[in-house]
Amino acid sequence: MNVRATNCMLRVILFGFLAACLGACATTPVSSSAARQAPSARLLAFQERFSNTTATLIVTRDEGLLGGG
């Protein structure tokens, strides 16, 4: 084999390996209505509501191996 063919083969193998690794980390999103509230003991800060707020931030974790579900 020449060097060019070897480099091409290594790139194909590396791309396949990376695609397999990223595909294995797939998670599924959880809808806001199905998500559970965090226990109050695990809430840290910024929990009070103010009357002059103009935005709300909602954070939900994904379901899956690394999503904590």
Side-chain angles (χ1 to χ4, degrees):
M1 290 180 112
N2 61 18
V3 174
R4 187 173 185 171
T6 303
N7 285 342
C8 183
M9 188 184 312
L10 287 175
R11 286 184 185 169
V12 169
I13 291 171
L14 180 62
F15 178 75
F17 177 74
L18 289 175
C21 287
L22 291 175
C25 295
T27 59
T28 55
V30 177
S31 68
S32 296
S33 61
R36 294 182 293 145
Q37 289 284 341
S40 60
R42 297 189 69 187
L43 300 177
L44 298 177
F46 307 112
Q47 298 302 314
E48 56 277 342
R49 292 182 184 256
F50 297 106
S51 60
N52 62 352
T53 58
T54 58
T56 302
L57 175 66
I58 300 174
V59 179
T60 55
R61 293 181 66 177
D62 281 351
E63 204 173 61
L65 177 65
L66 299 177

